[in-house]
Amino acid sequence: MADLNVNGKKYKVDVDPETPLLWVIRDHVGLTGTKYGCGVGQCGACTVLFDGQAIRSCLIPVSAAEGKKIETIESLEKNGQLSKVQKAWVDNQVPQCGYCQSGMVMATTALLRNTPKPTDAQIDAAVTNICRCGTFQQVRDAIHAVSKA
């Protein structure tokens, strides 16, 4: 049994302690915005915030998540209002297919919380998610838009 704090809510889940956090979030907590991409931590589709840091949830066993604050894409919208990052994503037409976007939004959210006005080099270092549609310039534009707002 694992005790989790996901998006400010407490959950008790009965899973093997080595179950990847990704599958617990999706299959046991029921939040499907966090996506499965590669399962080896390369693509970033499964990025969530883990005590404020962007991590690949496919690599973290649920046992390591106990006592941590986990934030998923579902936590960003408040009272019907998109977060600044989500709004910038829409305004800058970032999504193409959209599959990788929840992970990119979470990585960007962590970046901007720690570095409100990042350089291109800081963006490249922090947002290492893979987008097969190639929207990397739109991602950078959206991040700069948020940092200027």
Side-chain angles (χ1 to χ4, degrees), residues 54-74:
I55 59 109
R56 309 294 215 238
S57 64
C58 69
L59 297 178
I60 303 295
V62 71
S63 59
E66 288 193 83
K68 305 291 184 184
K69 180 182 174 188
I70 301 159
E71 296 172 77
T72 69
I73 189 76
E74 289 90 352

Side-chain angles (χ1 to χ4, degrees), residues 50-113:
F50 193 76
D51 280 346
Q53 300 300 311
I55 59 109
R56 309 294 215 238
S57 64
C58 69
L59 297 178
I60 303 295
V62 71
S63 59
E66 288 193 83
K68 305 291 184 184
K69 180 182 174 188
I70 301 159
E71 296 172 77
T72 69
I73 189 76
E74 289 90 352
S75 72
L76 298 182
E77 175 268 329
K78 305 281 190 228
N79 299 316
Q81 297 295 313
L82 297 177
S83 72
K84 290 178 183 179
V85 173
Q86 290 171 309
K87 177 121 176 53
W89 244 241
V90 173
D91 293 346
N92 287 275
Q93 300 178 359
V94 175
Q96 295 295 311
C97 81
Y99 195 82
C100 66
Q101 296 305 307
S102 62
M104 282 206 182
V105 166
M106 296 311 289
T108 298
T109 299
L111 168 65
L112 291 172
R113 285 181 183 174

